[in-house]
Amino acid sequence: RARLSSPTNQKVLVNLAVLVALWIVLSLTADNFLDWTNAKNILRQISIVAIVASAATLVMVGGGLDLSVGGIAALSGVAAALIAAEGAGTEVSFVLGAFVGVGVGLVNGILIVSVGLNPVIATLGTLYVARGAANVLSDGLPIYDVPLDWSSLGTGFTFGLPTPAIILAVVVLVLWIVQRSTLLGKYTVAVGSNFEAARLAGIPVDRVRIALYVISGAAAGIGGIVLSSILNSGQPTAGTGLEFDVIVAAILGGTSLTGGQGSVLGTIVGALIVGTVNNGLNLLGVQSFWQSIVQGLILVGAVGLDAVVQRRRGRRFRIAALR
């Protein structure tokens, strides 16, 4: 009962209702929205955002923020394509490309924990560095010299579903287990809720924070590999704006910008809302610049809703303390 009444779960239930309402409205207004082919397209489209956002959620629950995910996705895709161009197999290239994300995530963790940089500044810096490195490595041009089976991961099907959706399911399952059933998950909530109290309680705060950024970098690397496969090339411009979609999905899913609150499964609901809105706007023939306006409004609305919820929680706690 306590879990069902928690703020995070309440937000998830509300968002599920919003998602169902969106489906009903779009099924009545947009042709082919309920078509199975369109449903598979939505799953494929949200997979990259959801893979990255599910890991970024853990960072946010731990009181951090990772804005570098778009740059990591671009760099991982370009690195994998370059490795393949040198003669490595597709699978090896994908794995090594994903490990580029692990490396950048480790750099983020060191900059924030060891050097003491603000997470926003540190990850914004690595965002530009990673995207710049992707452009330098590719001379600013797409890398099309990839194996013939390069697109099979991003555009193929497994068990009748888009393969990226299967990858998403595996990533979410692993991260859900990490969040709910491991010490790292419990420590993450403690660190995000009260940093100093967690340190005084003997929790290895620094190692937890570094581990979270490494996980986020790994997920961004995987997302970049999937995106590179969908595009059938290494694109230095890939993942542009990904960081904002990730933040929107996480906040819509009940993750708080102030830390200590959020769930991986809730973030998937948030990603479905974002993907459904984008897909519906496309089906309705809404011009791209209007879509950008809608996405911006969703971002501001999601952050504003989080701020209102946090203020109300703080007010309730103060009233309870006075009593």
PDB file of all heavy atoms in Angstrom, residues 7 12 15 17 42 60 93 120 125 133 155 160 181 196 266 286:
ATOM      1  N   PRO A   7       4.791   9.168  -4.083  1.00  0.00           N
ATOM      2  CA  PRO A   7       4.658  10.189  -5.120  1.00  0.00           C
ATOM      3  C   PRO A   7       5.047   9.688  -6.510  1.00  0.00           C
ATOM      4  O   PRO A   7       4.403  10.022  -7.504  1.00  0.00           O
ATOM      5  CB  PRO A   7       5.600  11.301  -4.621  1.00  0.00           C
ATOM      6  CG  PRO A   7       5.668  11.112  -3.143  1.00  0.00           C
ATOM      7  CD  PRO A   7       5.578   9.636  -2.930  1.00  0.00           C
ATOM      8  N   VAL A  12       3.258   7.957 -11.960  1.00  0.00           N
ATOM      9  CA  VAL A  12       3.241   6.955 -13.021  1.00  0.00           C
ATOM     10  C   VAL A  12       1.800   6.610 -13.398  1.00  0.00           C
ATOM     11  O   VAL A  12       1.458   6.499 -14.588  1.00  0.00           O
ATOM     12  CB  VAL A  12       4.009   5.695 -12.586  1.00  0.00           C
ATOM     13  CG1 VAL A  12       3.820   4.581 -13.611  1.00  0.00           C
ATOM     14  CG2 VAL A  12       5.495   6.003 -12.425  1.00  0.00           C
ATOM     15  N   ASN A  15       0.353   9.372 -15.399  1.00  0.00           N
ATOM     16  CA  ASN A  15       0.916   9.379 -16.745  1.00  0.00           C
ATOM     17  C   ASN A  15       0.375   8.243 -17.599  1.00  0.00           C
ATOM     18  O   ASN A  15       0.214   8.390 -18.814  1.00  0.00           O
ATOM     19  CB  ASN A  15       2.440   9.301 -16.678  1.00  0.00           C
ATOM     20  CG  ASN A  15       3.055  10.592 -16.188  1.00  0.00           C
ATOM     21  OD1 ASN A  15       2.484  11.663 -16.345  1.00  0.00           O
ATOM     22  ND2 ASN A  15       4.217  10.503 -15.565  1.00  0.00           N
ATOM     23  N   ALA A  17      -2.644   7.157 -17.351  1.00  0.00           N
ATOM     24  CA  ALA A  17      -3.955   7.666 -17.757  1.00  0.00           C
ATOM     25  C   ALA A  17      -3.822   8.666 -18.901  1.00  0.00           C
ATOM     26  O   ALA A  17      -4.608   8.653 -19.856  1.00  0.00           O
ATOM     27  CB  ALA A  17      -4.657   8.314 -16.564  1.00  0.00           C
ATOM     28  N   ILE A  42       6.402   3.262 -33.573  1.00  0.00           N
ATOM     29  CA  ILE A  42       6.525   3.997 -32.316  1.00  0.00           C
ATOM     30  C   ILE A  42       7.531   3.308 -31.398  1.00  0.00           C
ATOM     31  O   ILE A  42       8.381   3.965 -30.780  1.00  0.00           O
ATOM     32  CB  ILE A  42       5.148   4.123 -31.619  1.00  0.00           C
ATOM     33  CG1 ILE A  42       4.215   5.017 -32.427  1.00  0.00           C
ATOM     34  CG2 ILE A  42       5.318   4.688 -30.206  1.00  0.00           C
ATOM     35  CD1 ILE A  42       2.812   5.112 -31.853  1.00  0.00           C
ATOM     36  N   MET A  60      19.722  10.808 -12.121  1.00  0.00           N
ATOM     37  CA  MET A  60      18.877  11.856 -11.553  1.00  0.00           C
ATOM     38  C   MET A  60      18.376  11.474 -10.172  1.00  0.00           C
ATOM     39  O   MET A  60      18.291  12.320  -9.269  1.00  0.00           O
ATOM     40  CB  MET A  60      17.719  12.155 -12.502  1.00  0.00           C
ATOM     41  CG  MET A  60      18.169  12.755 -13.828  1.00  0.00           C
ATOM     42  SD  MET A  60      16.851  12.849 -15.071  1.00  0.00           S
ATOM     43  CE  MET A  60      15.814  14.113 -14.353  1.00  0.00           C
ATOM     44  N   SER A  93      32.540  -4.269 -33.707  1.00  0.00           N
ATOM     45  CA  SER A  93      32.462  -2.814 -33.835  1.00  0.00           C
ATOM     46  C   SER A  93      31.385  -2.243 -32.914  1.00  0.00           C
ATOM     47  O   SER A  93      31.584  -1.204 -32.273  1.00  0.00           O
ATOM     48  CB  SER A  93      32.161  -2.431 -35.286  1.00  0.00           C
ATOM     49  OG  SER A  93      33.161  -2.910 -36.160  1.00  0.00           O
ATOM     50  N   VAL A 120      25.958  19.805 -14.277  1.00  0.00           N
ATOM     51  CA  VAL A 120      25.480  20.451 -15.499  1.00  0.00           C
ATOM     52  C   VAL A 120      26.656  20.932 -16.347  1.00  0.00           C
ATOM     53  O   VAL A 120      26.717  20.690 -17.563  1.00  0.00           O
ATOM     54  CB  VAL A 120      24.535  21.627 -15.170  1.00  0.00           C
ATOM     55  CG1 VAL A 120      24.173  22.393 -16.440  1.00  0.00           C
ATOM     56  CG2 VAL A 120      23.279  21.123 -14.473  1.00  0.00           C
ATOM     57  N   GLY A 125      29.974  20.160 -20.923  1.00  0.00           N
ATOM     58  CA  GLY A 125      31.298  20.207 -21.545  1.00  0.00           C
ATOM     59  C   GLY A 125      31.617  18.942 -22.312  1.00  0.00           C
ATOM     60  O   GLY A 125      32.091  18.994 -23.464  1.00  0.00           O
ATOM     61  N   ALA A 133      34.552  15.577 -31.093  1.00  0.00           N
ATOM     62  CA  ALA A 133      35.414  14.439 -31.428  1.00  0.00           C
ATOM     63  C   ALA A 133      34.797  13.594 -32.542  1.00  0.00           C
ATOM     64  O   ALA A 133      35.502  13.106 -33.437  1.00  0.00           O
ATOM     65  CB  ALA A 133      35.646  13.576 -30.188  1.00  0.00           C
ATOM     66  N   THR A 155      17.039  -2.056 -37.783  1.00  0.00           N
ATOM     67  CA  THR A 155      15.825  -2.142 -38.605  1.00  0.00           C
ATOM     68  C   THR A 155      15.221  -3.539 -38.637  1.00  0.00           C
ATOM     69  O   THR A 155      14.175  -3.740 -39.250  1.00  0.00           O
ATOM     70  CB  THR A 155      16.128  -1.706 -40.048  1.00  0.00           C
ATOM     71  OG1 THR A 155      17.131  -2.581 -40.609  1.00  0.00           O
ATOM     72  CG2 THR A 155      16.644  -0.281 -40.088  1.00  0.00           C
ATOM     73  N   GLY A 160       8.989 -10.996 -33.787  1.00  0.00           N
ATOM     74  CA  GLY A 160       7.915 -10.197 -34.348  1.00  0.00           C
ATOM     75  C   GLY A 160       7.911  -8.742 -33.930  1.00  0.00           C
ATOM     76  O   GLY A 160       7.049  -7.968 -34.356  1.00  0.00           O
ATOM     77  N   SER A 181      16.700  -4.153  -6.470  1.00  0.00           N
ATOM     78  CA  SER A 181      17.173  -5.338  -5.756  1.00  0.00           C
ATOM     79  C   SER A 181      18.658  -5.349  -5.440  1.00  0.00           C
ATOM     80  O   SER A 181      19.180  -6.384  -5.028  1.00  0.00           O
ATOM     81  CB  SER A 181      16.824  -6.595  -6.575  1.00  0.00           C
ATOM     82  OG  SER A 181      15.439  -6.656  -6.860  1.00  0.00           O
ATOM     83  N   GLU A 196      24.815  14.317   2.426  1.00  0.00           N
ATOM     84  CA  GLU A 196      25.661  14.272   3.614  1.00  0.00           C
ATOM     85  C   GLU A 196      25.248  13.169   4.568  1.00  0.00           C
ATOM     86  O   GLU A 196      26.099  12.522   5.181  1.00  0.00           O
ATOM     87  CB  GLU A 196      25.638  15.636   4.324  1.00  0.00           C
ATOM     88  CG  GLU A 196      26.428  16.716   3.616  1.00  0.00           C
ATOM     89  CD  GLU A 196      27.893  16.326   3.410  1.00  0.00           C
ATOM     90  OE1 GLU A 196      28.475  15.678   4.302  1.00  0.00           O
ATOM     91  OE2 GLU A 196      28.435  16.634   2.336  1.00  0.00           O
ATOM     92  N   GLY A 266       8.740   4.050 -14.694  1.00  0.00           N
ATOM     93  CA  GLY A 266       8.041   5.304 -14.907  1.00  0.00           C
ATOM     94  C   GLY A 266       8.600   6.069 -16.085  1.00  0.00           C
ATOM     95  O   GLY A 266       7.854   6.682 -16.858  1.00  0.00           O
ATOM     96  N   VAL A 286       1.420  17.825 -38.922  1.00  0.00           N
ATOM     97  CA  VAL A 286       1.864  19.068 -38.290  1.00  0.00           C
ATOM     98  C   VAL A 286       3.293  19.371 -38.732  1.00  0.00           C
ATOM     99  O   VAL A 286       4.151  18.474 -38.738  1.00  0.00           O
ATOM    100  CB  VAL A 286       1.795  18.949 -36.749  1.00  0.00           C
ATOM    101  CG1 VAL A 286       2.325  20.220 -36.087  1.00  0.00           C
ATOM    102  CG2 VAL A 286       0.352  18.688 -36.319  1.00  0.00           C
TER     103      VAL A 286
END
